[in-house]
Each structure stands twice: as structure tokens, then as C-alpha cells.
Amino acid sequence: MMKLDVLPVAGKIHVARLMDTTAIVVDVLRATTCMVIGIQNGINKIIPTSDAAEAASFVTRLGSRDSLLAGETGGIKTQGFDIGNSPFEFSEEAVKGRTVIMSTTNGTTAVCAAASADNVLIGAMVNATAVAKRTVELGKDAVIICAGTDGAISADDMIAAGAIAEEICKNAADVTCTDTVTICRWLYKAYMEKRVDIHEINHCKKLLALGFEKDVKLCFTRDTTDIVPTYSYGIIQ
């Protein structure tokens, strides 16, 4: 029997909480979506970092020839970085064959925080079914970790967690879900039935105000890829 849980905000995760589990990290707007699309478009590897200074130090060590600095601060491309945190910036032309050092406000920190899990998968709406199937194949208890926004619950991540949880429950023979999983599944169902408007979510409203309407639409498009990036020993591939 698989046990499935959702952590609605990454925050500080106790190592013991993730032992012998598969963790799925979700920052649907926009970091994990960018990671999935970037790997699909031929990124050699992604190195997630906890802040911009750490990202810059990696470039110094690795050299800038085959490296790209990617990420945002407050939704806007970090000053001095090569690309921001828009999935449209992770095009094949921009990223193929490159090592991308990435720092975002919420998503990269959440990925790093999940390191103690046996398996760490990168999840989003664009690969919801694929990441769910991979989780079931791995055969361990699973925890979906929502990045959240500035340390608070973000409904966009919970909707995406609900989509992934729904697929896990469809594909696994026997799943025991926590109430948090059930809430996320309810929220996802309400979204699919158009009883929830993502444009009213605070994080989404901020991105729309910054002009990222196309990003939001892309990030909430289901199952455009079967790519499931994994995080291990500090690297996403």
C-alpha cells in the first residue's frame, strides 16, 4: 500500500519526514515548469541553488562558456542573469547542451530541501501524468512538496499537486491519502469544473500584472510532455 501526502509549503523539511519516500517537488508558476521544459529542450543539467549569490559562485567555478544563469527575484529576471524564469526562455535554441545554474524565489529552494528523499522528481502540470506514473513505478510512499510563495501556501501549487495526486490514485493499486491530498484533489476538481479561477490566486495575479499571461497559460496546460526530471546529488537531469 502506498501512502500519499502533500506538504502545502516547502519550508524547513525534517530529514526523517522524507526517508524512504519519493518526493515530487511542484512550483507550477514557474520554476518546475521551466525545469521540465528545459530538460525536454536538451539542457545538459540544472543546478538549483538557494539564492542568486550561490548561483553566481557556481558560474565562477564552472566557467561561463557552457553555463547559463537562470532565475528571478520577485518574478523579474535577476540582474546579471542570462535568462529569467519564463518557460519561453528555456527554448531549445537557448539551453540545449548547456548547464543551467538556477535560482528562484521559491522553487529552487524547495528542490534543494527535498534532497533527503530516496527519489526526488520534478513535477508540474505539463508532466502531471508522467510524474505520477513514475512515482507509482518507484513503489515507495510519496510526498508532493509544494514550493508555496514566500513561505505561505499558494493555491496554484496545490491545484497542480491535486492533478498529480489524482493520477497517482488512478495508477496505483492501493493508495492511502492524507486529508491534505484530499483537499488538493478537491481543489483540482473545482479548477477543472471552472469553479476556481486561477486568475484570482495571488501569485498568479502578480505574474499577470508583470505581463506573464502566456506563462500562466502554458504552466497550466496539462500533459504536454512525458519528461520527468530527477534531482540527485545537487543536479537535475
Side-chain angles (χ1 to χ4, degrees), residues 15-98:
V15 171
R17 177 68 185 80
L18 298 181
M19 287 182 64
D20 200 30
T21 68
T22 294
I24 307 165
V25 183
V26 175
D27 183 4
V28 69
L29 292 177
R30 297 166 286 168
T32 58
T33 304
C34 289
M35 293 169 185
V36 173
I37 289 173
I39 295 296
Q40 180 184 35
N41 286 335
I43 284 178
N44 178 37
K45 59 187 174 184
I46 300 170
I47 301 173
T49 63
S50 57
D51 57 48
E54 184 185 3
S57 72
F58 266 105
V59 172
T60 301
R61 280 179 276 166
L62 296 173
S64 59
R65 182 176 178 181
D66 294 316
S67 302
L68 282 177
L69 270 172
E72 51 74 35
T73 305
I76 301 297
K77 184 179 80 169
T78 303
Q79 186 175 1
F81 277 30
D82 300 297
I83 58 176
N85 191 41
S86 167
F88 292 100
E89 294 179 273
F90 283 69
S91 65
E92 184 175 351
E93 182 180 8
V95 303
K96 186 175 182 179
R98 310 293 292 274

Side-chain angles (χ1 to χ4, degrees), residues 23-27 31-36 39 46 48 107 111 120-124 127 131 164 227-231 236-237:
I24 307 165
V25 183
V26 175
D27 183 4
T32 58
T33 304
C34 289
M35 293 169 185
V36 173
I39 295 296
I46 300 170
V111 172
V120 182
L121 309 181
I122 305 302
N127 72 340
V131 76
I164 295 167
I227 294 292
V228 182
T230 60
Y231 174 67
I236 296 169
Q237 290 181 308

Side-chain angles (χ1 to χ4, degrees), residues 2-228:
M2 174 189 287
K3 295 179 181 178
L4 178 61
D5 195 8
V6 172
L7 297 183
V9 183
K12 292 183 178 179
I13 303 171
H14 293 292
V15 171
R17 177 68 185 80
L18 298 181
M19 287 182 64
D20 200 30
T21 68
T22 294
I24 307 165
V25 183
V26 175
D27 183 4
V28 69
L29 292 177
R30 297 166 286 168
T32 58
T33 304
C34 289
M35 293 169 185
V36 173
I37 289 173
I39 295 296
Q40 180 184 35
N41 286 335
I43 284 178
N44 178 37
K45 59 187 174 184
I46 300 170
I47 301 173
T49 63
S50 57
D51 57 48
E54 184 185 3
S57 72
F58 266 105
V59 172
T60 301
R61 280 179 276 166
L62 296 173
S64 59
R65 182 176 178 181
D66 294 316
S67 302
L68 282 177
L69 270 172
E72 51 74 35
T73 305
I76 301 297
K77 184 179 80 169
T78 303
Q79 186 175 1
F81 277 30
D82 300 297
I83 58 176
N85 191 41
S86 167
F88 292 100
E89 294 179 273
F90 283 69
S91 65
E92 184 175 351
E93 182 180 8
V95 303
K96 186 175 182 179
R98 310 293 292 274
T99 293
V100 175
I101 299 96
M102 193 169 179
S103 169
T104 69
T105 307
N106 307 292
T108 55
T109 302
V111 172
C112 295
S116 60
D118 281 26
N119 311 287
V120 182
L121 309 181
I122 305 302
M125 291 291 273
V126 294
N127 72 340
T129 296
V131 76
K133 288 181 177 178
R134 181 69 58 81
T135 301
V136 174
E137 289 168 1
L138 289 168
K140 294 183 177 291
D141 293 343
V143 181
I144 304 172
I145 301 172
C146 298
T149 302
D150 298 327
I153 288 173
S154 197
D156 50 308
D157 287 339
M158 294 186 73
I159 291 170
I164 295 167
E166 193 71 23
E167 292 299 326
I168 289 173
C169 292
K170 285 180 183 178
N171 285 278
D174 196 2
V175 186
T176 298
C177 296
T178 65
D179 284 353
T180 313
V181 174
T182 301
I183 290 167
C184 289
R185 292 174 70 186
W186 286 343
L187 190 57
Y188 172 66
K189 182 179 180 182
Y191 163 72
M192 291 299 291
E193 294 174 352
K194 302 189 185 304
R195 292 184 286 113
V196 168
D197 183 359
I198 60 171
H199 297 84
E200 293 301 313
I201 296 169
N202 285 332
H203 185 44
C204 186
K205 286 195 288 187
K206 179 178 180 179
L207 290 174
L208 292 173
L210 292 170
F212 292 116
E213 185 172 353
K214 289 183 179 179
D215 284 26
V216 171
K217 183 177 180 180
L218 186 154
C219 290
F220 270 86
T221 303
R222 274 286 308 263
D223 294 333
T224 61
T225 180
D226 59 2
I227 294 292
V228 182

